[in-house]
Amino acid sequence: MRVLLVEDHAKLAMTMATGLRRAGMAVDVVFDGQDALDHLALTAYDVVVLDRDIPVVHGDDVCKALAAQGSPSRVLMLTAAGTVHDRVEGLGIGADDYLSKPCDFTELVARIRALVRRPGTALPPTLTHGDLQLDPSHRIATRAGHPLPLNPKEFAILEVLLTRPGVVVSAEEILERVWDEAADPFSQSVRTTISRLRAKLGDPPLIETVAKAGYRITD
């Protein structure tokens, strides 16, 4: 899951980003509305966690711009103003969800995951392929009923592949969806992580390498 976090309070932004990464998300962080729009013009984000009161371009205007463009990115708006009027106003300008600050971090993670499951980008709560089951919300993976000790990147790659069964996903797309903009595009991160993932999944193998194309889940 690729998330853009827009928060002008640097310390809070870094704390939130660290927590979201530990929850298995690839997170890019920006501190003002114009930088957010620049990132959104270049990268497809699943969810934008958008502080409403940000400098340069206000959060309301960022939200309106995304709505006008028909952006597929879901917007979770954050604000210290938590009245009903504020929530109604935020939803009225195009936000998909609204959360008052300070917020419980577990609720923030749950809200982000719920947005990805909404129509248009809907995913089932549990991804299943044969005897393999993946529960993204609870970060649990099992095969034949046995838990799999996957690290966050291994879990995220498996989630990407399971959401597109039978489809070849390129290493470049996996790098974009699982890592963030700090990732080295020339690194061997995808290949080495998939190698570890295959070993943990066991036999019969589930991930096929398609020469010069990428990887896919096999039957």
Side-chain angles (χ1 to χ4, degrees), residues 125-128 132-136 140-142 150 155 158-159 162:
T126 301
L127 301 171
T128 302
L132 176 66
Q133 288 195 328
L134 200 74
D135 182 344
I140 296 172
T142 62
L150 306 183
F155 192 100
L158 189 56
E159 184 176 0
L162 284 173

Side-chain angles (χ1 to χ4, degrees), residues 128-177:
T128 302
H129 185 84
D131 61 355
L132 176 66
Q133 288 195 328
L134 200 74
D135 182 344
S137 296
H138 297 95
R139 313 302 296 168
I140 296 172
T142 62
R143 188 168 190 192
H146 300 291
L148 299 172
L150 306 183
N151 69 33
K153 296 303 184 190
E154 293 162 356
F155 192 100
I157 287 178
L158 189 56
E159 184 176 0
V160 168
L161 295 176
L162 284 173
T163 59
R164 300 167 67 182
V167 175
V168 177
V169 183
S170 69
E172 292 78 12
E173 183 176 349
I174 291 173
L175 189 69
E176 179 178 313
R177 304 308 300 171

